[in-house]
Amino acid sequence: MMVMNAVEFLIHEHRLLEEHFEKSDFSRCREELIKHVNLEEEIFYPRLLKSDLFQETILEAWEDHNLCMQLLQELDGDLEEKFRQAKFSTLKKLTLEHFKEEEEKLFPTILKKASPAWLEEIGEVMKLHKPEIEADHVLYPEIPGSHRPKL
Ligand SMILES: [Fe+2]
Ligand SMILES: [Fe+2]
């Protein structure tokens, strides 16, 4: 596989996740979304937070992740089908909106400000780390104000 920089890697993940959402494949959505959120929160966002340029956007993105994880947690519960469907479609809406914001607001700024070598290195780190993430891995509240629900 060719080298993908961090932004290309994440956009590729967004497209795959959108396919899973299109097929309403809940278990794939759940697994891939948890992994994606883990990669961003463990590797990508903390590095960006070192620069003040991205702080506001990243903290908002973190809150989007929290909402998505909260919905996933609720979807794991015992729900009547009509409620499950409503929650799943809300999760889809939130996730796609979040991807759009990352791709339209965050990524273009990163591409403008960060060095290509740095972006490639982070892309590689995420690619290598992905197979190690357990789909049930609980995200840690590293950022003040983050309220990570337990999955
Ligand atoms: Fe994200
Ligand atoms: Fe993302």
Side-chain angles (χ1 to χ4, degrees), residues 44-108:
F44 195 51
Y45 289 0
R47 285 164 170 83
L48 294 174
L49 277 174
K50 291 185 180 142
S51 156
D52 286 345
L53 277 177
F54 305 109
Q55 197 174 68
E56 196 185 326
T57 321
I58 296 290
L59 292 183
E60 285 177 16
W62 216 288
E63 293 305 326
D64 286 347
H65 287 184
N66 277 342
L67 290 175
C68 290
M69 294 299 108
Q70 179 72 48
L71 281 169
L72 273 185
Q73 188 187 32
E74 290 172 15
L75 279 160
D76 281 340
D78 194 14
L79 290 172
E80 241 182 82
E81 191 50 30
K82 62 183 175 190
F83 296 124
R84 174 178 305 283
Q85 278 178 17
K87 261 185 219 305
F88 184 71
S89 80
T90 303
L91 174 68
K92 178 179 177 181
K93 213 162 37 186
L94 256 174
T95 304
L96 300 192
E97 187 56 37
H98 174 72
F99 289 170
K100 193 167 178 257
E101 278 191 33
E102 284 185 331
E103 291 180 31
E104 290 179 6
K105 277 171 68 184
L106 184 62
F107 295 169

Side-chain angles (χ1 to χ4, degrees), residues 10-45:
L10 293 171
I11 289 176
H12 179 69
E13 293 221 313
H14 290 175
R15 295 293 86 78
L16 290 177
L17 262 158
E18 281 165 9
E19 281 178 29
H20 300 320
F21 271 109
E22 253 347 279
K23 292 183 193 143
S24 297
D25 185 343
F26 175 63
S27 66
R28 289 304 299 278
C29 287
R30 184 185 187 283
E31 184 180 336
E32 293 299 324
L33 189 57
I34 291 173
K35 288 184 178 180
H36 182 72
V37 161
N38 266 275
L39 285 176
E40 288 185 341
E41 293 192 9
E42 281 186 24
I43 296 167
F44 195 51
Y45 289 0

